[in-house]
Amino acid sequence: MTTPIAPESQRHPPQTVLVLQGGGALGAYQWGVYEGLHEAGIEPDWVIGTSIGAINAALIAGNLPHQRLERMEAFWERVTHRGPSSWWAHLAPDWARSQQKLEVVFGGLAGFFQPNWMSWGGDQRALGSEHAAFYSTQALRHTLEGLLDTRLLAQGPTRLTVGAVNARTGQMRYFDNQREALGLDAVMASGALAPAFGAVRIDGEPYWDGGLYSNSPIEVVLDDQPRRDALIFSAHLWRAEGAEPQSLAAVHERLKDVQFASRADSHIERQRQLHHLRHTIHELMDHLPAGKREHATLREHAAYGCDSVVHVVKLHAARLPCDDVGKDGDFSPTTVKLRHQAGLATVRAALSSQPWRRTRKLAEGLCVHEIEPVLS
């Protein structure tokens, strides 16, 4: 059952929220999204993420506004792959991209992860949940320690929420620096995508990547109490809709897109229906005589209504010509740069049109705006 909201007199001011999905190398798009907001003077009050989205969110919330872009750029510079294949990128780009993925699979990614040789002893060898993985992410921890202010991360003025799944219970946990002192372990746990990366232990429990449960955790905002007017920028790295696949490779790519994209749309649709109902309750109460509104039962019912307005701006990432089933592992310099530029161009287009300022229906409490991808 929905929890009643606070009375209208206790409503909080509007908030700007940035929601960041998981998607590995696709997260370079989120760097561009934030840059576009930053150059327009928009700093989010609340950043929410899973997986690579949690890492980008931490780079935002864990730094002062004037440092954020510099730190994000430094992170993506460190994790961009520059192996032997990069020497041939201009001469044979398709071959170089294929070779780059092999180099990452077998050699890891500087500043991010390295092969875990302990796992080479066979898949039945008991290593413990923290080490039962193909790679070690100690390099990522070291990278983030140098790019984050842990005091801001823990209890900074910018609200930060990251999601991780309990590897034992299968339940999602959202770590929130407004409710607890959020540490680097929570960020690492949100990006611990098994079986590539091992679980991260927090409060005695092992946690995996939150994208396994909800890759676009927009429901965190929509279920938050008390309800507030909100402008939510949601960077969508995966597309639920796409062309009918004609090959096995295309089937594998579409499966990934559907798996990581579809839940966000269903969450938004459910919340749209609930918010319409809340607005209807609020309007009905306004039509009751003043004396009736003071009845104890009706006051209780009225608490389920609200007149807050939420705008969800879905910033769809562009599909690049080089995209395939391994696109989330493509950390090559050219592709990282293209995704960053696409994020920046798409946000600029959204801020230019500002569809959230258009007239809406009175009972429309949750408005969704689809921003189609833009390539720079």
Side-chain angles (χ1 to χ4, degrees), residues 16 34 37-46 60 65-66 68 158:
T16 301
Y34 173 72
L37 295 175
H38 179 81
E39 72 175 13
I42 300 172
E43 295 295 339
D45 302 298
W46 186 5
I60 295 169
H66 71 276
R68 291 169 176 173
T158 300

Side-chain angles (χ1 to χ4, degrees), residues 31-295:
W31 167 26
V33 165
Y34 173 72
E35 181 172 348
L37 295 175
H38 179 81
E39 72 175 13
I42 300 172
E43 295 295 339
D45 302 298
W46 186 5
V47 194
I48 304 166
T50 55
S51 198
I52 193 66
I55 293 171
N56 280 327
L59 290 166
I60 295 169
N63 285 292
L64 296 173
H66 71 276
Q67 298 172 313
R68 291 169 176 173
L69 275 181
E70 171 194 334
R71 300 293 168 83
M72 293 186 85
E73 182 176 2
F75 172 80
W76 284 98
E77 176 70 20
R78 292 184 193 183
V79 302
T80 295
H81 179 68
R82 289 182 173 82
S85 59
S86 62
W87 305 339
W88 302 93
H90 296 296
L91 297 175
D94 292 339
W95 177 87
R97 275 192 297 271
S98 177
Q99 188 67 21
Q100 177 264 339
K101 291 170 188 173
L102 290 176
E103 290 169 2
V104 170
V105 167
F106 290 105
L109 198 61
F112 203 147
F113 57 89
Q114 300 298 326
N116 174 24
W117 307 116
M118 296 171 62
S119 66
W120 286 39
D123 61 3
Q124 297 298 319
R125 184 181 176 191
L127 301 173
S129 61
E130 295 100 324
H131 303 291
F134 296 122
Y135 303 97
S136 163
T137 54
Q138 279 302 114
L140 174 62
R141 182 180 290 275
H142 180 72
T143 295
L144 293 178
E145 285 174 344
L147 295 175
L148 294 172
D149 184 330
T150 54
R151 294 169 300 176
L152 291 175
L153 195 71
Q155 294 177 321
T158 300
R159 185 176 180 181
L160 172 65
T161 304
V162 299
V165 174
N166 189 308
R168 187 181 60 80
T169 67
Q171 297 300 305
M172 187 75 153
R173 176 176 172 181
Y174 288 108
F175 298 87
D176 190 315
N177 69 354
Q178 279 199 356
R179 299 192 174 103
E180 59 188 313
L182 193 154
L184 184 55
D185 279 346
V187 180
M188 295 289 295
S190 187
L193 182 60
F197 307 145
V200 176
R201 195 168 295 277
I202 303 174
D203 300 331
E205 293 287 343
Y207 288 93
W208 281 334
D209 192 308
L212 295 170
Y213 187 93
S214 179
N215 196 46
S216 184
I218 199 167
E219 70 273 10
V220 176
V221 189
L222 302 177
D223 287 332
D224 193 43
Q225 298 285 355
R227 303 201 184 282
R228 298 168 61 175
D229 291 351
L231 176 58
I232 305 172
F233 293 97
S234 183
H236 286 244
L237 306 178
W238 309 88
R239 292 298 294 258
E241 295 182 0
E244 181 180 345
Q246 302 297 323
S247 66
L248 280 174
V251 167
H252 285 308
E253 185 183 2
R254 282 298 301 137
L255 284 173
K256 259 189 180 179
D257 281 329
V258 172
Q259 177 185 356
F260 291 121
S262 58
R263 193 172 290 182
D265 290 336
S266 62
H267 281 318
I268 291 172
E269 183 54 34
R270 168 182 168 271
Q271 289 289 344
R272 192 207 299 267
Q273 295 168 359
L274 286 174
H275 221 59
H276 179 80
L277 181 59
R278 294 183 191 113
H279 271 234
T280 301
I281 292 171
H282 180 81
E283 289 180 41
L284 288 173
M285 294 303 299
D286 275 351
H287 285 82
L288 288 176
K292 291 278 189 181
R293 296 179 202 171
E294 299 306 315
H295 190 280

Side-chain angles (χ1 to χ4, degrees), residues 19 21 26 29-30 33 216 232-242 257 260-262 264-265 268 312-320 323 338-350 368-376:
V19 179
Q21 289 184 339
L26 304 181
Y29 175 80
Q30 299 168 347
V33 165
S216 184
I232 305 172
F233 293 97
S234 183
H236 286 244
L237 306 178
W238 309 88
R239 292 298 294 258
E241 295 182 0
D257 281 329
F260 291 121
S262 58
D265 290 336
I268 291 172
V312 179
V313 184
K314 295 170 67 175
L315 303 163
H316 293 289
R319 175 178 170 79
L320 302 182
D323 281 354
L338 285 173
R339 295 201 195 283
H340 166 247
Q341 291 174 339
L344 178 57
T346 304
V347 167
R348 285 172 173 169
V368 180
H369 311 282
E370 308 279 352
I371 307 299
E372 290 307 312
V374 178
L375 284 172
S376 60

